[in-house]
Amino acid sequence: MKFSAKIERCSLSPIRKFNPLALEAERAGKTIYHLNIGQPDVPTPKEYFDAIKNFSQEVLAYAPSPGISELLEAIKLYYEKINAPISISDILISNGGSEALMMVMSCILDDNDEILVPEPYYPNYSTFVNLTGGMIHPITTTPEEGYKYAIKERIESQINSHTRAILFTNPGNPTGTVLTKDELIMLADIAKEHNLFLIGDEVYREFVYNDEPLASLLQLKGYDENIVVIDSVSKRFSACGARIGCVISRNEELMNNIMKWCQARLCVPTLDQIGATALYNVGPDYFDSVRKEYRNRKDALIEELKKIPGVVYSNPVGAFYVMAALPVDDTDKFQYWLLQEWDDHGDTVMYSPAESFYSTAGLGKNEIRMAYVIEVEKIRRSIEILGNAIAAYNSK
Amino acid sequence: MKFSAKIERCSLSPIRKFNPLALEAERAGKTIYHLNIGQPDVPTPKEYFDAIKNFSQEVLAYAPSPGISELLEAIKLYYEKINAPISISDILISNGGSEALMMVMSCILDDNDEILVPEPYYPNYSTFVNLTGGMIHPITTTPEEGYKYAIKERIESQINSHTRAILFTNPGNPTGTVLTKDELIMLADIAKEHNLFLIGDEVYREFVYNDEPLASLLQLKGYDENIVVIDSVSKRFSACGARIGCVISRNEELMNNIMKWCQARLCVPTLDQIGATALYNVGPDYFDSVRKEYRNRKDALIEELKKIPGVVYSNPVGAFYVMAALPVDDTDKFQYWLLQEWDDHGDTVMYSPAESFYSTAGLGKNEIRMAYVIEVEKIRRSIEILGNAIAAYNSK
């Protein structure tokens, strides 16, 4: 049977191949420290479950295609509070940030259209773009430069007649880079001048560790036609399994086009929308304590990482990931070795080999992404294991 | 800003334009009888809500991309019971039947590829196909022939080098047509001979009123490469707002390709999957009583419809819709008139004008779809109103 060229260009998750080996290692008695997973361990606020438990209608009916009005109102209010006024009609609720991205991509990309994305980037962006027939045009960054991409000349030099948009994660996954307001304005000016959409994936917005106020593209004035923001409750409220996200834009024509997709898939689950609405009642105390916990984890990770000779790492300002270049030949090979051939007193470690975070062939081969979503003591031990492993691997 | 050619070919729901007029009519004191909505009024089994209320984990984490194992097991068991053995790996859970259809379409259709679909069909099929760059090639049926499409010569004559699949809803939305096992085999033989996917959208499977056992494409042997089934809990358990569906196929390569989409969007909501699992414990008594209620509604609708001169209708065997050709010039115009200019003792009626159920231009202009998801007495009154309205409209 013949399959579409679009799906043939997509890949299965490259992390998946390690799962059977991890199981095998655990069966053999090894303890694995997981730096490879972006699933937070912070409890989901009780408000979510309470709201769902209070649902008392007899029929679990379709919700409206754009989302339930209570959730739309809650999101509007949230943005008002961070000084980014939007209307209800600027928001469409989606099945997680993932669907929001799929919807936007399908509305703006045709075959051979290009979207600029700083690499390394969240690997699922590739699938979202490939499914449209379009392609990612990478803006390459390096660990030595701290993965900096907000450089006007470097971005503009990559724009051509096929370019339709710029997509970036801010705060950054996998790099932890956070843009300043001036850098956001610089990107918006480029987008406006070249008639491009500027798509900010801001799902990690709450996780910024430099005491700056929360930044959003939606705070900028004068770029309503260009700016699109992707948001989600997954990370903000540690509610990944709710799959509630949204796309926000003041570009009415874009929103009308996205609505076609929304209507075709009828709606986003009713109860999860009710739960998500309640999450927006969670106060700033919740974020403050979560942020503090993550900052401690990040600081511990960086402190330990410093002790390993030859490691080049981003000093992340936001999100909950650190990218690092290791002094090994190939982090994919190294991960196999860590699972199959090595342990430090019965312990080993998993991370995300970073090759799939790049679209330029050959890049990322000695890099890894680490998620700091486990407790501080476990993080310290993980990096200790990593250091010992690097030494052992290189003296083989 | 430029939008993709794919989204430009999609439309907003044609029903939407009547919503403000309906609101206006209600404000003016009219009572509207709704035959236009496919939202069942049957209570969702309590098991769904109970299972969700019993969830006691602290963190609402991502579910596995293919679906939670309990739900996959429950679906496997359900199919075993209707004599359609499948493996766990033949099932991928989706955000409703809608996402299941989007996933399959994106895996098999490229620009200008064609998928055969009997018309009239569920209008959202157009969006799912248009988003891939492919197109629907209709197999035209007529009210006078009872919307019959399972005719070998008629289908084969429409196959060309661009044809990739045949898609049909069975039991049929909007026609209520139910295929016999011999007709299913005939379709499967065509698919096999011409190397096509045969996609059965079987979300209305439980709603068959001729006392035949439940039929599924998955009961056929020898067509594993070709057959794909779309399923959902929405109609079966009156749980439209759960948005839990699945795609089922024994074609391993297809499932691997669909898995790429599943992994990219991470997962389907965790709690809804837990609720849906519990629904599969609902016994045959539930279906028997629901089926009996719908059969009564259908019989009442048909009985009343018979009394209106000049109406040609399908006598539906399944689902909960009736298609009918009315003796009026244009059912879209007629709907405007029903809302704006007419009432029968303060009452009027809404249906779905059927033009959007056809892709052949000009067809369906005098047809409508009626959903019998309201109580028997309301159905009788709706059709009485319709009959009186037709007489009044034609003697203007």
Side-chain angles (χ1 to χ4, degrees):
Chain A
M1 305 296 289
K2 191 176 166 292
F3 295 94
S4 72
K6 294 182 285 282
I7 201 76
E8 298 278 15
R9 282 174 53 211
C10 300
S11 321
L12 284 167
S13 163
I15 312 297
R16 237 182 143 206
K17 64 187 172 200
F18 294 113
N19 291 345
L21 302 180
L23 270 177
E24 215 174 279
E26 283 174 333
R27 273 198 212 105
K30 274 192 207 180
T31 300
I32 300 175
Y33 284 78
H34 288 279
L35 298 173
N36 56 321
I37 301 170
Q39 166 65 55
D41 63 345
V42 174
T44 310
K46 212 173 138 288
E47 282 82 348
Y48 183 89
F49 302 109
D50 288 347
I52 286 182
K53 283 177 186 164
N54 288 334
F55 182 81
S56 62
Q57 289 169 39
E58 270 205 324
V59 182
L60 184 64
Y62 289 118
S65 296
I68 63 171
S69 57
E70 294 84 351
L71 179 55
L72 295 167
E73 285 288 350
I75 292 172
K76 177 175 177 280
L77 192 65
Y78 165 91
Y79 276 93
E80 242 168 60
K81 283 186 190 157
I82 65 164
N83 199 22
I86 48 172
S87 312
I88 291 295
S89 58
D90 299 334
I91 315 167
L92 289 168
I93 305 299
S94 57
N95 288 293
S98 309
E99 192 195 33
L101 283 160
M102 294 176 95
M103 296 193 298
V104 174
M105 296 303 124
S106 82
C107 283
I108 65 175
L109 297 176
D110 273 319
D111 286 11
N112 305 317
D113 281 348
E114 294 184 5
I115 178 163
L116 294 177
V117 187
E119 64 179 355
Y121 54 78
Y122 177 54
N124 289 329
Y125 287 170
S126 294
T127 305
F128 302 146
V129 170
N130 284 336
L131 282 173
T132 69
M135 59 186 81
I136 288 181
H137 183 120
I139 302 167
T140 304
T141 72
T142 66
E144 290 74 17
E145 293 183 312
Y147 302 104
K148 190 176 166 66
Y149 61 87
I151 303 164
K152 189 168 193 286
E153 306 66 41
R154 217 179 271 185
I155 295 172
E156 284 197 314
S157 68
Q158 302 304 312
I159 295 173
N160 62 45
S161 64
H162 300 288
T163 314
R164 296 279 168 265
I166 304 170
L167 164 64
F168 63 109
T169 328
N170 183 44
N173 173 10
T175 63
T177 309
V178 174
L179 298 193
T180 63
K181 193 163 185 193
D182 283 346
E183 287 171 328
L184 289 178
I185 292 173
M186 183 268 288
L187 288 180
D189 282 334
I190 295 176
K192 196 168 181 173
E193 187 187 332
H194 297 272
N195 228 10
L196 308 176
F197 286 103
L198 183 65
I199 306 160
D201 180 347
E202 302 187 352
V203 300
Y204 295 98
R205 185 187 305 123
E206 237 67 37
F207 304 98
V208 179
Y209 311 114
N210 62 357
D211 297 316
E212 294 286 318
L214 298 182
S216 171
L217 274 183
L218 293 167
Q219 291 161 340
L220 307 187
K221 290 189 188 13
Y223 309 94
D224 288 357
E225 290 302 293
N226 309 90
I227 282 176
V228 183
V229 162
I230 306 296
D231 202 353
S232 157
V233 303
S234 295
K235 315 291 176 182
R236 177 168 305 148
F237 301 108
S238 194
C240 297
R243 312 308 301 125
I244 296 294
C246 64
V247 51
I248 307 177
S249 175
R250 301 186 187 98
N251 181 322
E252 199 181 329
E253 205 181 347
L254 174 65
M255 296 309 271
N256 269 333
N257 276 319
I258 296 175
M259 180 69 106
K260 297 174 185 174
W261 172 303
C262 291
Q263 289 185 341
R265 56 77 161 129
L266 305 171
C267 71
V268 169
T270 307
L271 292 185
D272 299 284
Q273 292 193 68
I274 290 170
T277 306
L279 289 177
Y280 278 92
N281 291 327
V282 170
D285 287 1
Y286 173 79
F287 296 117
D288 288 346
S289 75
V290 171
R291 205 176 290 126
K292 196 176 152 200
E293 173 63 22
Y294 278 114
R295 191 196 305 229
N296 289 341
R297 292 172 178 188
K298 175 189 74 91
D299 290 345
L301 199 157
I302 296 295
E303 202 179 299
E304 297 300 323
L305 217 47
K306 263 187 197 152
K307 300 178 187 165
I308 311 178
V311 173
V312 181
Y313 53 88
S314 66
N315 200 336
V317 180
F320 35 70
Y321 307 102
V322 176
M323 275 290 281
L326 305 186
V328 301
D329 54 346
D330 180 333
T331 53
D332 210 73
K333 246 174 70 187
F334 185 46
Q335 180 68 79
Y336 276 112
W337 183 82
L338 279 163
L339 287 170
Q340 296 186 298
E341 302 186 30
W342 195 76
D343 69 82
D344 180 359
H345 299 87
D347 297 343
T348 193
V349 67
M350 284 181 82
Y351 49 71
S352 302
E355 209 176 346
S356 63
F357 292 74
Y358 287 88
S359 60
T360 302
L363 290 186
K365 254 196 156 16
N366 68 334
E367 291 171 61
I368 65 172
R369 186 195 76 173
M370 294 166 279
Y372 45 96
V373 293
I374 55 175
E375 290 150 17
V376 165
E377 282 318 303
K378 287 184 185 162
I379 288 174
R380 289 196 190 276
R381 175 65 185 140
S382 306
I383 305 301
E384 184 185 31
I385 299 165
L386 187 71
N388 294 343
I390 291 171
Y393 182 80
N394 284 334
S395 62
K396 270 195 304 182
Chain B
M1 304 296 289
K2 191 176 165 292
F3 295 93
S4 72
K6 294 184 285 284
I7 201 74
E8 297 278 15
R9 283 173 53 211
C10 300
S11 321
L12 284 167
S13 163
I15 312 299
R16 238 181 144 206
K17 65 186 171 200
F18 294 113
N19 290 346
L21 301 181
L23 270 177
E24 213 173 281
E26 283 175 333
R27 272 198 214 106
K30 275 194 208 181
T31 300
I32 300 176
Y33 284 79
H34 288 279
L35 298 172
N36 56 321
I37 302 170
Q39 166 65 55
D41 62 345
V42 174
T44 311
K46 210 173 138 289
E47 282 82 348
Y48 183 89
F49 302 109
D50 288 347
I52 286 182
K53 283 176 186 165
N54 287 334
F55 181 82
S56 62
Q57 290 169 39
E58 269 204 327
V59 182
L60 184 65
Y62 288 119
S65 296
I68 64 172
S69 56
E70 296 82 352
L71 179 56
L72 294 167
E73 285 290 350
I75 292 173
K76 177 175 177 281
L77 191 66
Y78 165 91
Y79 276 93
E80 242 167 60
K81 284 187 189 156
I82 64 163
N83 198 23
I86 49 172
S87 312
I88 291 295
S89 58
D90 300 334
I91 314 167
L92 289 168
I93 305 300
S94 57
N95 288 295
S98 309
E99 192 196 33
L101 283 160
M102 293 177 95
M103 296 193 298
V104 174
M105 296 303 124
S106 82
C107 283
I108 65 176
L109 297 176
D110 273 318
D111 286 11
N112 305 316
D113 282 347
E114 294 184 6
I115 179 163
L116 294 177
V117 186
E119 64 179 353
Y121 55 77
Y122 176 55
N124 288 329
Y125 287 171
S126 294
T127 305
F128 302 146
V129 171
N130 285 336
L131 282 173
T132 70
M135 60 185 81
I136 288 181
H137 183 121
I139 304 167
T140 303
T141 72
T142 64
E144 290 73 18
E145 293 184 312
Y147 301 104
K148 190 176 165 67
Y149 61 88
I151 303 165
K152 189 169 193 288
E153 304 67 41
R154 218 179 271 184
I155 295 173
E156 284 197 314
S157 69
Q158 302 303 312
I159 295 174
N160 62 45
S161 63
H162 300 287
T163 314
R164 295 281 168 264
I166 305 170
L167 164 64
F168 63 108
T169 328
N170 183 43
N173 172 10
T175 64
T177 308
V178 174
L179 297 193
T180 64
K181 193 163 185 192
D182 283 346
E183 287 171 329
L184 289 178
I185 292 173
M186 184 269 287
L187 288 180
D189 283 333
I190 295 176
K192 196 167 181 172
E193 188 187 332
H194 297 273
N195 228 10
L196 307 176
F197 286 102
L198 182 65
I199 305 159
D201 180 347
E202 301 188 352
V203 299
Y204 295 97
R205 184 186 304 122
E206 238 66 37
F207 305 97
V208 180
Y209 311 113
N210 63 357
D211 298 317
E212 294 285 319
L214 298 183
S216 171
L217 273 183
L218 293 167
Q219 291 161 340
L220 307 187
K221 289 187 187 19
Y223 308 95
D224 287 358
E225 290 302 294
N226 310 90
I227 283 176
V228 183
V229 162
I230 306 298
D231 202 354
S232 157
V233 304
S234 296
K235 315 293 174 177
R236 177 169 304 147
F237 300 108
S238 194
C240 297
R243 311 309 300 127
I244 297 292
C246 65
V247 51
I248 307 177
S249 174
R250 301 186 186 98
N251 182 322
E252 199 181 327
E253 206 182 346
L254 174 66
M255 296 309 271
N256 269 333
N257 276 319
I258 297 175
M259 181 68 106
K260 297 174 186 173
W261 173 302
C262 291
Q263 288 185 342
R265 57 77 162 128
L266 305 172
C267 72
V268 169
T270 306
L271 292 184
D272 299 283
Q273 292 193 67
I274 290 170
T277 306
L279 288 177
Y280 278 91
N281 292 326
V282 170
D285 288 1
Y286 171 79
F287 296 118
D288 289 347
S289 75
V290 171
R291 207 177 288 126
K292 198 176 150 200
E293 173 63 23
Y294 279 113
R295 191 197 304 230
N296 289 341
R297 293 173 177 188
K298 173 188 74 91
D299 291 345
L301 198 157
I302 297 294
E303 203 180 297
E304 298 298 323
L305 217 47
K306 262 188 197 151
K307 299 177 187 168
I308 311 179
V311 173
V312 182
Y313 54 88
S314 65
N315 200 338
V317 179
F320 35 68
Y321 306 102
V322 176
M323 275 289 280
L326 305 185
V328 300
D329 54 346
D330 180 333
T331 54
D332 211 73
K333 245 173 70 186
F334 184 46
Q335 181 68 79
Y336 276 112
W337 183 81
L338 279 162
L339 287 170
Q340 297 185 295
E341 301 187 30
W342 194 76
D343 69 81
D344 179 0
H345 298 89
D347 298 343
T348 192
V349 67
M350 283 181 83
Y351 49 71
S352 303
E355 209 175 346
S356 63
F357 293 75
Y358 287 87
S359 59
T360 302
L363 289 186
K365 256 197 155 15
N366 68 333
E367 291 171 61
I368 65 172
R369 185 194 78 171
M370 294 166 280
Y372 44 94
V373 293
I374 54 175
E375 290 151 17
V376 166
E377 283 317 303
K378 285 184 185 162
I379 289 175
R380 289 196 190 276
R381 175 67 184 139
S382 305
I383 305 302
E384 185 186 30
I385 299 166
L386 187 70
N388 293 343
I390 291 172
Y393 183 78
N394 284 333
S395 61
K396 270 193 306 182

